[in-house]
Amino acid sequence: MPASFPKGTLAVRVREVLGPLFEDTSFAGAFSGRGRPAVSPGALVLVSGLQYAEGLTDRQAAGQVRARMDWKFLLGLELDDPGFDFSVLSDFRARLTEHGMEERILDLILARCSELGLLRAGGRQRTDSTHVLALVRTLNRMKFVGKVLRAALEALAATAPQWLSALVTADRVRCYGTRIDSCRFPKGGNVRQEWAEQVSRHGFMILEAAFTPGTRAGCGRSRPSRSCAAPGWSRTTATARGCADGRARTSRRGRLRLSSPCDPDARYGTKRGSDWCSYKTHLSETCEPDAPHLITHMVTTDATVGDTEVINTVHQALAARELLPDEHAVDVGYVTTAHIVTARDEHGIGLLGPVGLDTVHEHHEGEHIPQNTFTVDWDAKKVTCPQAAVSASRSDQRKASGTPVTRVHFALLDRDPCPVRPQCTKAANGRYGRTLTLLPREQQQVLEQRRAEQQTEEWKARYDVRASVEGTVSQAVRRTGIRRTRYTGLAKTHPGSVLSATAINIIRLDAWLTGTPLGETLTSHLAHLGLAA
């Protein structure tokens, strides 16, 4: 091997330095004890990791196992070993997904790095997210409704052909027998409206027949299961009984809106003005200067799940792996005062990220009185303003997200006007003063403390470490194609994200072993001119 590869390769160095990473016994639960012997699960994990590292398809990866000496050396195969058929890789991923073992791949490589002293708990970590485009076409609402009905009829024709034959006519077979997106849609608003209402009526008819208890289609068998009756139709349209005119309707946003009948898990997401039809993956990595930067956790959700809903899941997963950091740097999307308190009290983590500023008078011209100048007496349940006025009333409420808040109200009468009222409130009625919104006591104190801290240069210098996570996202996109899923469904997309993380970890371990320096941030020629000036 040294004669063939005098400078070594990634596969050779992984074998020589890291040793065996994945044992077959770790994945034995995904295979039956009977039947012919399977291809080594540990070898398949390594092949899958190298496949993502080099951007190969299943067929190409299986070909590399047969042809490349360094891959054979890594897998411990003889030079004349014929390898395996490429379909084994997809079957292996399906087994991992079915038995929930995809996280074990990342667990094993992280455990091996811990044994070698390359990874430890504590220190700093950072987390960021990126979108993952689904393996479907985006459709307008008319095409989507028609495609949902066609997909439902296709499923019913395969599972209950005799039951369906009693409901459909030759005209409907001719209408939905071909792909909806291959047909030319009718011109004119009235004709399109008529077509949409016709599709809706047909869909509701199928739903009514499938969901009516005891229905039989004269075929001597019970009705088909609800799982194959118009999948997604009830979420695409208004309820069948509540839509009197049978008109197809879909919500423009929301978690219930499907993106495609071909992938029921995909959703439409929006972030910073960008829309996409897909999922979202969140990656966490270490960022210590004296150790390789390794991805410690990956979580994949649909595109509608906000970053704040994921941070507690990340901390729980890191605690299960015994890799909790002392300080966790995230962007503003992950941070709420409740998460700061929870991370500190339950996991001993300092959640490092900016909180929202006081925006009471963000459009106010001139000076204004910020909220932090008010004195809160939590025990007496009173608030005093800078002019010594005491709050008149308070009410406990909840935000739409469920967060408890307290509304504190000040009353200023006309006979005793406040001299600084224009800088304090914009209330049109002069008889009413300012209203403050306070979080629970501990959270409000954390909020005020963080707002003061994040204005200091020391805090900004600590938070600079978060920016480099963008480089990890870029590397995952360029090397493993993480931004486009290869599979359909969330259950299959997440293992792909885990394999991408495994590939990035292998690449970074190899770079650490060979002393390859970290890449520098690219700076344009125009920026250089600005720096020189």
Side-chain angles (χ1 to χ4, degrees):
M1 190 61 64
S4 302
F5 302 100
K7 294 184 179 181
T9 66
L10 183 148
V12 172
R13 285 187 290 269
V14 167
R15 176 73 177 187
E16 291 179 341
V17 179
L18 301 180
L21 290 175
F22 308 104
E23 299 290 343
D24 292 345
T25 54
S26 301
F27 305 95
F31 295 85
S32 174
R34 303 175 61 183
R36 66 179 183 178
V39 179
S40 168
L44 292 177
V45 173
L46 283 172
V47 172
S48 299
L50 293 177
Q51 173 187 1
Y52 271 77
E54 299 189 13
L56 306 176
T57 64
D58 288 351
R59 191 184 296 271
Q60 290 171 335
Q64 298 290 68
V65 174
R66 289 190 298 270
R68 285 180 56 171
M69 294 174 58
D70 56 338
W71 281 41
K72 289 181 182 291
F73 177 74
L74 173 63
L75 301 175
L77 302 177
E78 298 293 338
L79 291 179
D80 58 351
D81 192 292
F84 51 81
D85 187 77
F86 72 94
S87 61
V88 173
L89 290 171
S90 61
D91 178 68
F92 177 65
R93 290 192 299 268
R95 289 177 181 272
L96 291 181
T97 303
E98 180 182 355
H99 294 83
M101 292 185 174
E102 61 273 10
E103 292 291 340
R104 193 167 298 180
I105 299 175
L106 198 55
D107 290 339
L108 291 173
I109 192 170
L110 294 176
R112 181 57 178 162
C113 292
S114 298
E115 293 174 3
L116 297 175
L118 300 175
L119 182 64
R120 60 183 181 273
R124 296 177 298 176
Q125 292 192 32
R126 52 198 176 199
T127 296
D128 200 9
S129 65
T130 186
H131 60 272
V132 182
L133 299 181
L135 196 64
V136 295
R137 293 178 57 187
T138 55
L139 304 169
N140 61 35
R141 284 187 285 178
M142 285 188 65
K143 289 185 178 181
F144 178 75
V145 171
K147 197 164 185 177
V148 167
L149 180 56
R150 183 178 184 274
L153 293 174
E154 283 290 317
L156 290 170
T159 57
Q162 296 181 359
W163 181 89
L164 183 64
S165 61
L167 295 176
V168 298
T169 63
D171 291 338
R172 291 171 187 169
V173 171
R174 190 163 47 252
C175 180
Y176 304 112
T178 58
R179 294 178 48 156
I180 297 297
D181 50 5
S182 65
C183 301
R184 181 172 296 179
F185 270 69
K187 302 293 184 181
N190 294 335
V191 182
R192 286 177 177 244
Q193 180 67 31
E194 182 180 348
W195 182 90
E197 293 178 359
Q198 171 186 311
V199 174
S200 296
R201 285 194 297 270
H202 293 167
F204 292 147
M205 179 196 68
I206 297 295
L207 275 179
E208 191 73 24
F211 279 77
T212 301
T215 57
R216 297 175 183 271
C219 57
R221 58 185 296 183
S222 60
R223 61 192 172 93
S225 65
R226 298 181 182 184
S227 61
C228 67
W233 189 266
S234 59
R235 279 185 272 180
T236 306
T237 62
T239 57
R241 300 185 183 280
C243 190
D245 59 357
R247 184 182 303 169
R249 299 187 180 97
T250 60
S251 60
R252 293 185 178 272
R253 290 290 182 266
R255 296 187 176 179
L256 294 181
R257 182 187 175 185
L258 301 181
S259 302
S260 171
C262 300
D263 189 351
D265 294 333
R267 294 291 186 274
Y268 285 101
T270 301
K271 187 174 182 179
R272 300 189 185 97
S274 298
D275 296 342
W276 72 94
C277 164
S278 63
Y279 306 98
K280 187 189 295 185
T281 187
H282 306 256
L283 59 88
S284 304
E285 68 166 357
T286 59
C287 51
E288 292 300 309
D290 58 345
H293 297 172
L294 302 177
I295 297 177
T296 56
H297 182 62
M298 296 285 287
V299 58
T300 308
T301 66
D302 67 69
T304 63
V305 176
D307 295 346
T308 56
E309 302 176 60
V310 175
I311 191 65
N312 287 335
T313 303
V314 173
H315 289 162
Q316 293 169 5
L318 293 177
R321 289 185 170 131
E322 299 182 353
L323 291 175
L324 282 173
D326 295 329
E327 192 170 72
H328 191 184
V330 295
D331 65 19
V332 66
Y334 291 91
V335 181
T336 66
T337 53
H339 290 141
I340 295 175
V341 173
T342 301
R344 181 195 63 194
D345 296 345
E346 296 186 3
H347 302 291
I349 300 175
L351 189 60
L352 184 64
V355 297
L357 301 177
D358 182 6
T359 57
V360 175
H361 284 282
E362 59 181 347
H363 301 299
H364 186 87
E365 296 181 1
E367 297 183 359
H368 68 276
I369 300 176
Q371 181 172 314
N372 59 7
T373 59
F374 288 73
T375 303
V376 182
D377 188 339
W378 295 97
D379 296 327
K381 298 182 179 180
K382 295 291 184 179
V383 179
T384 305
C385 79
Q387 297 296 313
V390 180
S391 58
S393 63
R394 64 193 302 272
S395 59
D396 295 329
Q397 303 176 15
R398 283 188 178 273
K399 292 183 178 180
S401 60
T403 303
V405 295
T406 299
R407 310 282 186 187
V408 180
H409 311 281
F410 289 83
L412 298 178
L413 302 179
D414 291 338
R415 63 175 179 273
D416 188 19
C418 177
V420 294
R421 186 178 187 278
Q423 289 79 38
C424 186
T425 179
K426 288 185 175 181
N429 193 330
R431 296 180 59 84
Y432 297 97
R434 184 167 175 173
T435 298
L436 298 183
T437 301
L438 302 177
L439 295 169
R441 181 173 184 172
E442 188 175 20
Q443 295 185 30
Q444 185 66 32
Q445 293 172 346
V446 168
L447 176 63
E448 294 173 357
Q449 179 183 0
R450 179 59 57 85
R451 281 176 173 172
E453 285 180 348
Q454 65 191 34
Q455 302 301 319
T456 64
E457 295 300 324
E458 179 185 359
W459 189 93
K460 294 177 182 178
R462 285 169 52 206
Y463 187 62
D464 283 345
V465 71
R466 193 216 70 86
S468 296
V469 74
E470 304 288 350
T472 301
V473 174
S474 175
Q475 184 182 27
V477 171
R478 289 181 287 106
R479 293 298 298 267
T480 69
I482 197 175
R483 198 162 279 169
R484 289 183 179 273
T485 180
R486 304 183 182 189
Y487 317 108
T488 301
L490 181 60
K492 294 182 179 180
T493 298
H494 177 60
S497 300
V498 173
L499 289 173
S500 293
T502 303
I504 293 299
N505 283 345
I506 292 175
I507 292 171
R508 291 189 166 186
L509 286 171
D510 180 65
W512 178 264
L513 295 173
T514 56
T516 304
L518 296 176
E520 297 182 356
T521 302
L522 296 178
T523 306
S524 66
H525 296 292
L526 184 61
H528 275 299
L529 292 177
L531 292 175

